[in-house]
């Protein structure tokens, strides 16, 4: 866990604006959590990163910089017809227990509301996070399904949804 006294830097970047080091750190964090920790063999690089905006949370404590959190947002039609999306929400194992996941989603939804106020937000959430996302106004759509060995559920937050 990180020290309570640390610097936090939130940055939104297009794919093209990501430095090579930032892209490496993003892909390494996603692989660390989604592939290794969750033991799910799947193709993380799925073709959506180029059209996404990326939210990076860097922390610095005692001279050590860490990519502590990350998510991406997609415009309507990129992944789901007529709906925007957020995904790849991840917190570094070294930065958990500080509410960063909630802050990531809050910032991601605010960005989508600002960019696409008339669009619903559609996500494919890991099933165990259903209640977490319901707290942001998401509603379940359909049944639980298997995605890469992990139970998932589709969820939609209406345009202008509550948080």
């Amino acid at each position: 866990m990180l020290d309570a006294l640390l610097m936090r830097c939130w940055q939104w970047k297009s794919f093209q604006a990501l430095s090579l080091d930032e892209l490496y750190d993003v892909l390494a964090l996603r692989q660390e959590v989604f592939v290794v920790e969750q033991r799910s063999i799947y193709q993380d690089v799925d073709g959506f990163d180029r059209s996404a905006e990326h939210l990076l949370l860097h922390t610095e404590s005692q001279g050590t910089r860490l990519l502590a959190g990350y998510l991406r947002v997609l415009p309507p039609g990129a992944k789901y017809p007529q709906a925007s999306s957020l995904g790849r929400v991840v917190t570094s194992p070294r930065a958990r227990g500080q509410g960063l996941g909630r802050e990531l989603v809050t910032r991601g939804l605010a960005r989508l509301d600002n960019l696409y106020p008339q669009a619903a937000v559609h996500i494919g959430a890991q099933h165990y996070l259903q209640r977490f996302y319901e707290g942001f106004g998401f509603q379940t759509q359909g049944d639980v399904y298997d995605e890469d060995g992990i139970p998932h559920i589709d969820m939609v937050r209406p345009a202008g949804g509550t948080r």
Side-chain angles (χ1 to χ4, degrees):
M1 178 169 308
L2 293 175
D3 298 338
L5 300 173
L6 52 76
M7 299 285 294
R8 290 185 182 174
C9 177
W10 296 89
Q11 292 180 294
W12 280 104
K13 293 197 170 192
S14 67
F15 181 79
Q16 295 75 15
L18 291 170
S19 72
L20 289 177
D21 286 336
E22 289 169 330
L23 179 59
Y24 182 90
D25 291 347
V26 164
L27 295 175
L29 177 59
R30 288 176 9 185
Q31 182 178 13
E32 176 185 11
V33 173
F34 298 134
V35 177
V36 177
E37 181 181 294
Q38 295 181 356
R39 298 181 184 162
S40 178
I41 308 273
Y42 80 107
Q43 183 66 43
D44 176 57
V45 179
D46 59 2
F48 291 114
D49 288 317
R50 286 188 174 98
S51 60
E53 286 200 39
H54 305 266
L55 177 58
L56 292 83
L57 166 60
H58 285 98
T59 59
E60 190 168 331
S61 176
Q62 300 174 349
T64 302
R65 185 172 163 92
L66 170 71
L67 179 62
Y70 166 86
L71 68 68
R72 70 181 183 191
V73 296
L74 294 163
K79 187 170 183 178
Y80 299 105
Q82 303 171 343
S84 59
S85 182
L86 63 85
R88 298 296 198 261
V89 180
V90 62
T91 302
S92 169
R94 292 164 297 289
R96 292 190 182 145
Q98 302 177 51
L100 298 179
R102 183 168 302 285
E103 194 166 352
L104 279 163
V105 172
T106 297
R107 288 173 182 258
L109 290 173
R111 184 71 163 199
L112 290 171
D113 288 347
N114 184 50
L115 293 172
Y116 316 109
Q118 302 304 314
V121 180
H122 189 151
I123 61 173
Q126 291 185 9
H127 186 243
Y128 84 94
L129 292 169
Q130 180 177 347
R131 292 183 68 105
F132 172 78
Y133 286 110
E134 286 173 346
F136 291 97
F138 282 91
Q139 302 163 356
T140 301
Q141 302 288 308
D143 296 323
V144 175
Y145 59 92
D146 181 276
E147 184 173 309
D148 305 312
I150 297 175
H152 278 70
I153 190 89
D154 281 332
M155 302 185 80
V156 175
R157 180 178 156 268
T162 60
R163 281 189 294 290

